[in-house]
Amino acid sequence: MGCFTVEGGHRLEGSLTVQGSKNGALPLLAASVLVNGTTCLRHCPDLTDIRAALLILDGFGCKTSFRDNVAVIDSAAADRYSIADETMREMRSSIVFLGALLGRFGHAEVSAPGGCEIGLRPIDLHIESLKAMGCVFEEEGSRLHCSCPNGLKGATIALSFPSVGATENLLLAASVAKGKTRVINAAREPEIVELADFLNRCGARISGAGEGILEIEGVASLTGCEETVAGDRIAAVTYMTSCAVTGGRLAVRGLDFNSLMPLVAPFEKAGCQIERSGDAINFAAPKRLKGFGMVRTMPYPGFPTDSQAAFTAMLAASDGTSLVVENIFESRFKYIAQLNKMGADIRVEGRIAVIQGVERLHGADVVSPDLRGGSALVTAALGAQGVSRVSAVHYIDRGYEKLEGVLASLGAVIERKT
Ligand code: UD1
C-alpha cells in the first residue's frame, strides 16, 4: 500500500483546471451500455474507479479504450449482463449499471450490497422503484437476479429519499421503458442534470432534471454521442480547503460556479473569499481561519457529504468552534481519530462532530479510512507543522487524478512512496 509524505506549512498558490468528475463520469459510462453505437467521453478522469467501470463494460462484451482522458465505448457487441461479486465489492457504485442493463437486456445479475467504508449502502430504493416499472428480483445467496418479464413500463415513483444512485438508475431504465415515468423527490445533484442532458442528446425525452420531479417519456432506442465530463466539484473543494489551511490563493478553472453554491456561505463564514471571475473561480484564504458555526450535510443543493471531511480538516486549526452534522452516511467520521492524532480537538457524538479549533496541527503517521477521509488527511497535513505520512492512498486514488502532482504544482511538498 502506498503512502504520501507531506511536509506541512508551505503556502499554496496558483491555478489549476480541475479534473473531470468521478461521480459525473460513472453514470455516463453506465449509460454507454444502454445506447446503440459509440459513446465518447472526453475529460474523463483517470481514476481507479473509472478503470474498474471500464472493466465492467469489457465484461459485458463492450469494446472500450481509454487514453489521454478520452474513454470510447462501443456497446454494439455487448451480450452479457452480469457483474461479478468481487467487482461489486470493490466499487459499490457499480449498482448504477443496473438500470442500464435492464434497459438494454431486460436482465441483470448483480450482488446484494453489504457495508462499505462509509457505512451501509442499501439499494432498497433502487429495487422498489424498478419493481414499480415491472422488474422482478430474485435473491440467490449474495446474487440478485433481475429481469423484466413483460418489459420495462413507465410508472409514477415517489422516492422516500432523493437517492443519487436510484435516480440515476431510474433515468437510465425509464429512458427506454414503454410509456411515461414520473419520479417525485428525485435527486437534484449536478451529476443528475449532466446524465439527463447526455441521455437527451442520445435521443431520450427527459424533463425536470435538477428540479426534483422528473418526467421521462420512454423512447424505443438511444444512439450514442459525445460528452465532455463536467469538472469535479468535490475535487475542487479539496484543492480549495488544502489551499485554505496554508493561507493561500487559488484560481480554479473548468468548473461550473453554480455547483459550488452550497459551499459559498460556509467558506465565507470561515473567512475565505470565493468568487467567479471570467472563466475562473478565485479563492483566497485569510491568515487565520474562523470556526463557522454549524453545517449539516444534505442532498443537493444542501452542503455535500463528500465535502464534509475536507471542511472538518480545514477547521481543525481555526479560531472558535464548528459543528458538523452528517445526515447522509452513518460512518463518515472515521478520519477524525486520525486528525486527532495530528493534534486536532474534535469530538464525535453520533452524527455530530464538534470541532474545537486548535492553534496548529502537527505532523503524524495517519491512515486513510476512505476516499474523502483520506484526502482530508492530506489537507490537514499540508497545514500542519512538520512531516506527515498518509498511508492507504489507494482510497484517495479512487477519486483524485494525480493528487500529489496537482498539489505540488501549487507549491506543496508532497511525495508518493510505494
Ligand atoms: C452518490 C455519490 C457519493 C455521494 C452520495 C450522496 C456516486 C458514485 N456516489 O452515492 O459520492 O456521497 O451520492 O451525495 O455518485 N440509500 C438507501 N437506500 C437506497 C439508496 C440509498 O437507504 O436504495 C441511502 C444511503 O445508504 C445513504 C443515502 O441514502 O445513506 C444517500 O445515498 P445515495 O444518494 O444513493 O448515494 P450514492 O448514489 O450511493
Side-chain angles (χ1 to χ4, degrees), residues 23 120 122-126 161 163-165 305-306 328-329 332:
N23 290 354
L120 280 175
I123 54 165
D124 52 315
L125 299 172
H126 303 241
F161 179 87
S163 154
V164 174
T305 174
D306 287 347
I328 309 295
F329 290 105
R332 247 191 159 170

Side-chain angles (χ1 to χ4, degrees), residues 242-283:
S242 295
C243 169
V245 296
T246 72
R249 311 171 74 88
L250 195 60
V252 178
R253 292 196 164 72
L255 188 70
D256 177 4
F257 185 65
N258 290 328
S259 72
L260 287 186
M261 281 305 181
L263 297 142
V264 170
F267 265 133
E268 287 177 349
K269 278 193 195 157
C272 303
Q273 285 174 4
I274 176 167
E275 60 192 18
R276 184 173 15 200
S277 168
D279 67 341
I281 298 170
N282 289 336
F283 180 86

